Amino acid sequence: MQRCRETMERKNTAEMNQCKRKVRVCVATCNRADYSKLAPIMFGIKNNPEEFELEVVVLGSHLIDDYGNTFRMIEQDDFDIGSKLHTIVRGEDEAAMVESVGLALVKLPDVLQRLSPDILVIHGDRFDALALATAAALMNIRILHVEGGEVSGTIDDSIRHAITKLAHYHACCTRRAEQHLIAMCEDHSRILLAGCPSYDKLLSNNHRDDYMDIIRSWLGDKVQESDYIVALQHPVTTDIQNSIKIYGLMLDALISFNKKTLILFPNIDAGSKEMVRVMRKKGIEQHPNFKAVKHIPFDHFIQLVSHAGCMIGNSSCGVREAGAFGTPVINLGSRQTGRETGENVLHVRDADTQDKIYHALELQFGKRYPCSKIYGDGNAVPRILKFLRTIDLNEPLQKTFCFPSVKECISQDIDHILETQSALAVDLGGTNLRVAIVGMRGKIVKKYTQPNPKTFEARMQLMLKMCADATRDAVSLNCRILGVGVSTGGRVNPQEGVVLHSTKLIQEWSSVDLRTPLSDALHLPVWVDNDGNCAALAEKKFGHGKGVENFVTVITGTGIGGGIIQNNELIHGTTFCAAELGHIIVSLEGPECSCGSRGCIEAYASGNALQREAKRLHDEDLLKVEGLNIKQAEPITAIHLINAARLGNNSADAVLNKASTALGMGIVNILHIVNPTLVILSGVLASYYLAPVQRIISERALQSAQNIKVLTSELEEPALLGAASMVLDYTTRRLL
């Protein structure tokens, strides 16, 4: 028995030591493009030496002089390169690619056997990566494949999906890629929706103070921001001759367009040698408008793309990284067919004439688009490190596949896989500035509230800080922020994200571009609308308006506002002043309204109007009634008026009766104009106005409109929920 206990103790100790030992992670990089994705992961592993041991293997075009000997930038990043494998067979044709895969397979076993990694990290869809995955799988080494599940439309798809089937774990970038991996029968528990690792670096480094120095170091001292083009075109190995033709047409169009252009040499795929010949035949390297380079450090490349007037070619950088900056992109040919793209990308798939490409340059050059985060939010590396920590090195190595394909709705139990798709909602009110993280089902995960500053500069500064704090908190709360929705008072152009005219409640708030500073600072798409429209959107997604095709929401608060949903769409009007329900005139000689007119509903029935009348009655000593105690220093509000009326004060009751009649008549006018199925009263005064409004509709509306239902809202935060719904409805529709 004693020997048995000793044996068990030794076994338990060995298992504990196994759990505590460092995980040996080997990262293999083949070219400049995949290093930009792998480097952030490498830095993350290196910065956690108590948990991980990093090994680096370099092969492929990194070690070729014609392609810039880019292994040097890995050394400059202070990584120790464990092995350098010369695996490229020159020739730049289909046979050379096959021979390069074979040469890599000959050399890799010795290296992998010597390093003996627990996990091999491989990126993407290059033929070098296929050799790595094949060798590691046959040598029983666990493989983490980064950026699997995507679709681009060339031979890269076949290579990428082949690596997926060889890999044991997957870190993908988009929800659609995750769905593709699941449809390919990969084990759900081994898939991580991480985002693109390169976004971690580019989102944190794209606003450098010295960006103009970097741009001019590559393009000359006379170049200006947004007045140059970045061009990067690679061969399509399944259609080499056509891709060479498109390359020549692109160069001709760029020459004619007559803008400073930074052009990078194509990658090492079959057809690249012919493309370089075309470039040299046209004299691009000597042309005064062109700077031709073989390699640019990634941190410089970020600045060049971020501030370019346009990017052109067929590089994945155009449809992925450039979207994070809102840089306009022209995607030529079929190489990126199937990729998810932001609205910044203009596709010219049939690029068969110079004129067609030139016209695309005219359309795109100098534009700016909202920042897109389809491919990442800047937090991929923490997710991947968390994922690596959960890998059980003792579990069976043999892959299991999930047959048949699973349902669309997938939920996971471990927090590094399941993240709540969420929106950042901002409510700019007359008193407070509020920011909230809101989940898909309308749950407010966390809310932040501060007094709304009186000046423009202070308000913008506070809003940006609160949003930045919320995005940081979202990571720890396991929320993925898809975008920002802003609800604000005043008249708004939602297409441009601009507040056109403010209410008097928010000072210095006219002709304000909200979308650009928020998008630039947070690297997120931004939607803006006024608070009345947001209340209607909130009801449509989360409240009484869900599933109702035509309805009207009326906000009864400090002011009177609202929104109209017609045929399931929010009505804005030609000049964005539709649904200004508070400014429907119900009396020719009524009290003055905050809009400058007279007799508006808001001048009778808003909280401000009731407060004004309550103060008047109090000053005239007409607010007194038995049971109502008003302290001497207590500010008079609409609540005092309502309480006085309930206690039998005739003067207060007369004021409220007039206010209710004005609101009811305004709603009758709405019923006669848009004939909705439902009217929803929202805001702090909604419950008080419900019965009087129903009575006035029954007395004054046309018979066919008298039975239209009127309800009070059950939503506690309509402005925040409406702001969130703008994000959630658009982004989830785009992703799915």
Side-chain angles (χ1 to χ4, degrees), residues 317-358:
C317 175
V319 299
R320 297 170 67 100
E321 283 83 356
F325 314 124
T327 301
V329 172
I330 299 168
N331 180 52
L332 302 177
S334 61
R335 189 170 184 265
Q336 301 301 334
T337 300
R339 289 272 195 198
E340 297 172 73
T341 66
E343 59 183 289
N344 65 308
V345 179
L346 175 63
H347 295 281
V348 188
R349 295 192 173 95
D350 187 18
D352 53 355
T353 67
Q354 175 187 334
D355 288 344
K356 192 177 289 186
I357 299 172
Y358 186 91

Side-chain angles (χ1 to χ4, degrees), residues 153-339:
T154 67
I155 190 64
D156 293 351
D157 281 347
S158 300
I159 296 174
R160 187 185 308 110
H161 301 333
I163 296 172
T164 290
K165 304 319 294 179
L166 293 167
H168 304 84
Y169 308 95
H170 313 274
C172 60
C173 296
T174 70
R175 184 72 62 183
R176 186 179 297 173
E178 180 190 39
Q179 292 171 344
H180 290 164
L181 290 171
I182 292 169
M184 292 164 68
C185 304
E186 293 300 308
D187 186 343
H188 317 159
S189 66
R190 295 187 173 194
I191 301 171
L192 168 68
L193 177 56
C196 181
S198 67
Y199 270 54
D200 289 28
K201 185 171 183 179
L202 66 88
L203 291 180
S204 61
N205 291 346
N206 74 310
H207 288 292
R208 283 177 49 166
D209 294 336
D210 62 344
Y211 72 91
M212 282 308 302
D213 294 334
I214 293 171
I215 293 169
R216 286 169 179 160
S217 70
W218 291 95
L219 288 165
D221 293 337
K222 294 183 179 179
V223 72
Q224 298 298 317
E225 182 180 1
S226 300
D227 197 36
Y228 62 91
I229 297 169
V230 175
L232 180 53
Q233 179 91 355
H234 299 303
V236 178
T237 56
T238 52
D239 193 6
I240 292 173
Q241 292 307 312
N242 187 51
S243 64
I244 294 169
K245 176 187 173 184
I246 292 174
Y247 189 64
L249 293 171
M250 179 191 76
L251 295 177
D252 290 337
L254 288 169
I255 291 169
S256 299
F257 199 66
N258 197 32
K259 287 290 181 182
K260 203 72 175 176
T261 300
L262 180 71
I263 185 165
L264 281 82
F265 277 62
N267 64 21
I268 202 169
D269 284 352
S272 60
K273 187 183 291 184
E274 289 82 354
M275 291 175 71
V276 173
R277 286 197 189 104
V278 171
M279 183 173 70
R280 286 175 173 159
K281 186 177 179 181
K282 294 181 182 293
I284 295 300
E285 290 171 293
Q286 292 76 41
H287 196 288
N289 272 352
F290 286 82
K291 177 69 177 292
V293 296
K294 295 176 181 177
H295 166 67
I296 301 174
F298 186 64
D299 55 343
H300 283 204
F301 190 64
I302 290 171
Q303 304 304 317
L304 288 159
V305 172
S306 173
H307 300 283
C310 180
M311 185 174 184
I312 188 170
N314 64 2
S315 168
S316 62
C317 175
V319 299
R320 297 170 67 100
E321 283 83 356
F325 314 124
T327 301
V329 172
I330 299 168
N331 180 52
L332 302 177
S334 61
R335 189 170 184 265
Q336 301 301 334
T337 300
R339 289 272 195 198

Side-chain angles (χ1 to χ4, degrees), residues 97 271 450 475 542 548 615 627 681 708 720:
M97 291 169 63
Q450 293 286 344
V475 176
F542 304 113
V548 180
K615 287 180 178 178
L681 299 181
I708 290 174
L720 288 172

Side-chain angles (χ1 to χ4, degrees), residues 8 60 92 125 135 167 173 263 268 299 361 413 485 496 511 563 600 620:
M8 289 297 295
E92 285 79 23
D125 48 31
C173 296
I263 185 165
I268 202 169
D299 55 343
L361 285 165
D413 293 325
E496 301 293 335
S511 300
C600 300
E620 295 174 2

Side-chain angles (χ1 to χ4, degrees), residues 643-663:
N643 289 338
R646 285 174 176 165
L647 292 169
N649 185 306
N650 293 330
S651 298
D653 187 64
V655 170
L656 289 174
N657 183 58
K658 184 181 288 187
S660 302
T661 303
L663 180 63

